[in-house]
Every structure is written in structure tokens, then in C-alpha cells.
Amino acid sequence: MHQLTYNQAENTFSASTSATQLGWPVSGKQQDLISLLGSELWQQLLNIANTQQAQFISLDNNHYLCLGEAASDGLLTWIITPQPQLQRQLEQGQHDSRLASVGQVMAGICHEVNQPLNAMRLRLYALQQLATMGAIPDLDNHLKELDNQIERCANTLVNMRQLVGHQPISHSQFDLATSIQQVHKLLASQLVQQGIKLSLPSALPESLLFGQAQRFEQVLINLINNARDAILEQTDQQNGEIQIYLLHQCGNFQLQVIDNGPGIPEHLQQQVFTPYYTSKQAHGTGLGLALCQDLVNELDGNIELQSQPGRTCFTITLPKHGN
């Protein structure tokens, strides 16, 4: 990596010695730097510095610029990162984002696994009591129900393992409605404890898609978590609600995640899908929505944002015959 430092007080810049490999001088005046980068890129870098965004800007086909920490007041520092290293950073960031999502839904996972375990425990106790009285009537149905509950636990744990792991997940046909209901089971009880209602229509249309169910569920979890964070950041938050809709529109499937949070200011709406951009004060990797966009693209779909005070809607459009 190479480093570029700009002294705002003196309007001069200096570059690390290694930057000479890119044909850069090791020092110079502001005008030299503008000539080197171009006025448009220079203004872009200043805007990022003013807002302290951790955002990568393309320098050329092989390098990116990212704002670093200032060495002292009045000094702005940028890191020049080779593209392969940036890709590794993004991949690690995406994995970290998945881990963060996993941590946030663990309460829902525990609830989802605990319910069938309790049901099995009660049924086994009842079977033990029946066994003391002789033959157990309808034993096959009891055993079948126990097996169903075990499968429910196993599916939950497999889904979690695939959500966390780096391993590739095979493509297959899956039902969007089933995935939505599964995510609802994982998150609904946890959100209720935080004063937020996660709403689904009484019936979701069957929506078969070819792709990776776990990727789609990761997107939905991220969108719900973002909506939750926005609602909870409101100081006067009351009756928080996140609504999920699944529609068939013009040969496509359309998923909408709508929340009644504060909304996203119009001047920030174009930046929310940018890697490392985040508006969260206390936490946030800035990769959640960038990861959502990548995963939706993998499903040959697109994601759009509409937001105003009191209502934010993310719309995912997926082709019915996507590959």
C-alpha cells in the first residue's frame, strides 16, 4: 500500500516513497496534486474527508483511494490500495457483516430451536406415562411428530451454518415465501422484546426461484436489522413496525421491506449501497447494504430504495426464471 498526505494549512502534499512506483512525486503543491488526480477526483476526496466516510474511490484500473486517520490536525491522509488487496478486504468485511447478522439473530435462533425441544420433552414425558399403563396407542404418529421436530431443529442449525460459513452454497429451486417465513420465525420474537412488530400478510404466494435460499435470507435479515436499528435510534420511538410484502409484478417477484422509522435523507440515499458507508452512530460496518446489493445481483435481481420521513421501503425485484 502507498500513502498520500495533504497539509490543509500549507496547501502542500507528500506521498510515501513507494508511491513513486505509480509515477507520483514525493511532494508538491495543491495545484500539482489536482493536476495529478484531476479536479473531479480531488473534489470527491475532499467531500469524503469532510464527512469522514470510509469509502473507496477508484484511482485507476488497479488502485483505490481510501481515507485514513489524520496524523494530526490539519493533515488528511489517504491510503492507496491495490485492487487485489481491496477485494480481500471487501470479502473479509462481507464475512464480518454476516457474522454480525448472525450475532444479532442468535436470540431468535435459540427461540426457534428451544420450541421444538420443549415440545419433544413434553411428548416424551407423556409417552413415558402411557408406557407405564401398557401399550401406547397411536405410537407411529407420536414418533412421526418427534421426527418432525428433530428435523425442524436440524434445518435451523444447517441454515445457520450456511449463513456463517465461507463454503459455497449450491443453487437449487427454493420458495421465497418459505424463506420469508423462516426469517420471520428467527426474528419476530426478538423484535417484539424491542417493541417492534414484524408483520407478514396472512398468506404469501408461492414464489419458486432458482438460486441460493441462504443468500436471499441473508439479504432479508440485513434489511430487517437495518430497519430495526433505524426505528430504535428514534428518541421518540413508539409502535415500531416492519412490514414485509411479496408480490408478483410483470413476470417478476417483488419483495418489499417497509419500516416506520425516521427515513433516510434524500442526499444520503445514493450512498447507502456504497461499501463502508454507514450512518449508524454507535455501530455498523458499512457493508450491510453493499452486501445486500451484491447478493441480490447474484440472483439476477436489483434492489431499490424509496424513503421519506416516517417511511422507508427497500424493494427487491427478482426474475421468475433467474439463473
Side-chain angles (χ1 to χ4, degrees):
M1 288 192 299
H2 317 296
Q3 186 169 299
L4 168 68
T5 302
Y6 174 63
N7 189 316
Q8 293 176 297
E10 299 178 4
N11 287 328
T12 59
F13 77 92
S14 61
S16 59
T17 305
S18 61
T20 57
Q21 300 171 14
L22 305 177
W24 287 37
V26 294
S27 63
K29 298 291 186 181
Q30 180 193 51
Q31 192 56 47
D32 299 325
L33 185 58
I34 295 175
S35 298
L36 186 67
L37 297 174
S39 57
E40 184 176 346
L41 178 57
W42 172 242
Q43 189 58 52
Q44 205 171 357
L45 290 176
L46 288 182
N47 291 340
I48 290 173
N50 289 335
T51 57
Q52 292 293 303
Q53 297 175 25
Q55 180 178 344
F56 283 90
I57 298 295
S58 177
L59 178 62
D60 54 37
N61 291 333
N62 297 311
H63 295 87
Y64 288 81
L65 282 164
C66 179
L67 184 67
E69 294 183 3
S72 61
D73 291 342
L75 294 180
L76 298 176
T77 302
W78 289 276
I79 306 300
I80 305 170
T81 306
Q83 191 173 17
Q85 183 166 346
L86 172 63
Q87 185 61 35
R88 289 195 296 272
Q89 291 174 340
L90 286 174
E91 289 174 356
Q92 182 60 45
Q94 289 176 347
H95 183 59
D96 292 344
S97 180
R98 283 195 291 271
L99 288 178
S101 295
V102 169
Q104 291 169 353
V105 302
M106 278 307 297
I109 291 289
C110 292
H111 178 77
E112 178 65 12
V113 172
N114 197 48
Q115 277 191 328
L117 288 176
N118 284 334
M120 286 187 285
R121 183 180 293 114
L122 291 172
R123 190 174 291 269
L124 286 170
Y125 175 77
L127 290 174
Q128 288 174 336
Q129 297 301 310
L130 290 171
T132 61
M133 296 183 289
I136 301 175
D138 208 15
L139 179 59
D140 286 346
N141 285 336
H142 286 295
L143 294 176
K144 182 179 179 181
E145 181 57 30
L146 284 170
D147 186 63
N148 288 339
Q149 297 294 341
I150 292 171
E151 183 180 10
R152 178 179 170 185
C153 289
N155 288 339
T156 299
L157 296 176
V158 167
N159 183 59
M160 176 58 65
R161 183 177 62 189
Q162 291 175 328
L163 192 63
V164 177
H166 280 297
Q167 72 273 17
I169 303 172
S170 60
H171 284 71
S172 61
Q173 184 172 267
F174 70 96
D175 184 8
L176 296 176
T178 300
S179 288
I180 291 169
Q181 290 164 346
Q182 173 69 9
V183 170
H184 183 270
K185 289 179 182 177
L186 295 180
L187 300 180
S189 60
Q190 182 183 8
L191 289 171
V192 166
Q193 295 172 11
Q194 297 173 310
I196 299 172
K197 180 181 179 182
L198 181 60
S199 300
L200 291 181
S202 56
L204 292 172
E206 182 181 67
S207 306
L208 298 179
L209 189 72
F210 187 81
Q212 299 173 330
Q214 292 79 12
R215 298 291 196 235
F216 171 76
E217 290 163 14
Q218 172 69 55
V219 171
L220 185 55
I221 288 171
N222 280 358
L223 293 179
I224 292 171
N225 284 341
N226 278 354
R228 175 207 59 198
D229 291 343
I231 292 172
L232 293 179
E233 284 177 5
Q234 296 181 112
T235 56
D236 58 344
Q237 184 264 325
Q238 290 182 347
N239 301 321
E241 184 172 10
I242 303 169
Q243 299 172 303
I244 301 174
Y245 296 98
L246 180 61
L247 311 170
H248 291 184
Q249 295 283 346
C250 303
N252 296 317
F253 301 126
Q254 193 174 83
L255 172 77
Q256 292 184 325
V257 179
I258 304 171
D259 70 73
N260 63 349
I264 301 172
E266 186 175 356
H267 69 282
L268 297 179
Q269 292 180 21
Q270 296 300 317
Q271 303 179 52
V272 296
F273 295 106
T274 302
Y276 296 104
Y277 170 79
T278 179
S279 61
K280 297 179 182 179
Q281 300 299 319
H283 61 280
T285 64
L287 280 169
L289 289 175
L291 177 60
C292 286
Q293 188 173 57
D294 288 345
L295 297 181
V296 169
N297 288 341
E298 285 182 14
L299 292 167
D300 295 327
N302 63 74
I303 181 170
E304 298 177 341
L305 165 66
Q306 292 180 320
S307 186
Q308 60 191 43
R311 186 183 189 273
T312 294
C313 175
F314 283 93
T315 301
I316 296 173
T317 302
L318 298 167
K320 286 188 179 181
H321 302 290
N323 296 313

